[in-house]
Amino acid sequence: KAGVTQTPRYLIKTRGQQVTLSCSPISGHRSVSWYQQTPGQGLQFLFEYFSETQRNKGNFPGRFSGRQFSNSRSEMNVSTLELGDSALYLCASSSDRGRGYTFGSGTRLTVV
Amino acid sequence: QKEVEQDPGPLSVPEGAIVSLNCTYSNSAFQYFMWYRQYSRKGPELLMYTYSSGNKEDGRFTAQVDKSSKYISLFIRDSQPSDSATYLCAMSADSGGYQKVTFGTGTKLQVIP
């Protein structure tokens, strides 16, 4: 059974640019959540999508957005990148009311 | 104050030792409790999942939940160098029919051969 796939694994972007990250969940999982992980703050919740609808959102500015497609694949977008956006971005999928998440390996974003 | 508090460590133990990792929380609505292990440059992987109070054992790992004290623990028996990783506690409560998960900041564990 394939796991959660995130692409790309690494990204280097310049301040002010925008970036799109992709996540393919485990087959059959309809819930996809996104987290930002930094050494100082740990895992911080960005948003969750279920059946193409955002049903929960964390406390991040509007520069962070996401969407989910009919095949449950999800993308997140960060516009007008800032140095502080440098982090590991993790995608996690779960079956509805499932027992915990399965995480991908993440996309490491560096903003210079 | 954070909803979930976890000592960041690092925690260094000799191979074979019993390791105790702990989290405290403030939200009494939390019902589901999880432990994740994260190796360097990898995403977290689910180790243990428990519902409400009590103990759960899986091989060398035992998870304990004390809801009255708002305290959860993960014990690792006969620790191995391959257990060296960051351990994250996580907990969730039903929120409008789905679960919202809150993570601790993680404890870095090093098992020395």
Side-chain angles (χ1 to χ4, degrees):
Chain A
K1 191 176 186 181
V4 177
T5 303
Q6 289 189 249
T7 55
R9 287 296 308 278
Y10 302 94
L11 264 179
I12 299 176
K13 289 286 188 179
T14 304
R15 261 186 314 175
Q17 287 186 312
Q18 75 165 13
V19 68
T20 299
L21 312 181
S22 180
C23 171
S24 293
I26 287 175
S27 178
H29 283 189
R30 294 188 294 169
S31 170
V32 174
S33 297
W34 288 89
Y35 286 83
Q36 181 196 67
Q37 188 176 36
T38 58
Q41 298 296 319
L43 273 165
Q44 292 191 288
F45 175 73
L46 282 154
F47 27 66
E48 184 205 1
Y49 286 87
F50 179 80
S51 292
E52 301 179 65
T53 301
Q54 186 184 88
R55 66 179 181 183
N56 202 3
K57 189 177 189 301
N59 297 322
F60 277 81
R63 300 186 295 109
F64 291 81
S65 63
R67 59 179 175 168
Q68 186 180 33
F69 302 95
S70 58
N71 61 358
S72 293
R73 190 176 71 85
S74 178
E75 289 181 346
M76 68 163 281
N77 184 275
V78 188
S79 62
T80 319
L81 285 165
E82 300 176 0
L83 295 178
D85 297 333
S86 296
L88 180 66
Y89 289 87
L90 289 159
C91 167
S93 76
S94 67
S95 56
D96 191 26
R97 303 181 71 81
R99 292 175 168 265
Y101 290 138
T102 301
F103 281 90
S105 292
T107 294
R108 185 162 295 280
L109 173 65
T110 302
V111 182
V112 297
Chain B
Q1 185 190 3
K2 290 183 178 179
E3 270 192 304
V4 178
E5 299 278 359
Q6 184 174 10
D7 187 333
L11 179 63
S12 290
V13 301
E15 183 175 354
I18 296 175
V19 175
S20 172
L21 304 167
N22 311 294
C23 287
T24 58
Y25 62 95
S26 57
N27 186 349
S28 57
F30 286 141
Q31 304 167 288
Y32 305 91
F33 303 91
M34 293 147 278
W35 285 94
Y36 287 83
R37 177 176 62 195
Q38 186 174 20
Y39 292 114
S40 180
R41 302 186 184 278
K42 296 283 189 182
E45 62 176 307
L46 182 64
L47 270 181
M48 301 286 282
Y49 181 103
T50 55
Y51 172 71
S52 196
S53 286
N55 293 0
K56 184 175 182 179
E57 188 174 320
D58 184 1
R60 297 184 295 112
F61 298 89
T62 300
Q64 284 187 352
V65 175
D66 182 348
K67 290 189 73 177
S68 63
S69 302
K70 297 190 178 67
Y71 188 87
I72 70 170
S73 300
L74 177 71
F75 297 95
I76 307 174
R77 291 184 299 281
D78 187 24
S79 55
Q80 302 294 310
S82 58
D83 296 327
S84 298
T86 297
Y87 290 80
L88 300 130
C89 64
M91 39 202 84
S92 66
D94 280 333
S95 174
Y98 64 94
Q99 296 173 23
K100 181 183 174 183
V101 182
T102 304
F103 284 84
T105 51
T107 300
K108 189 169 184 178
L109 171 67
Q110 183 179 22
V111 181
I112 302 167

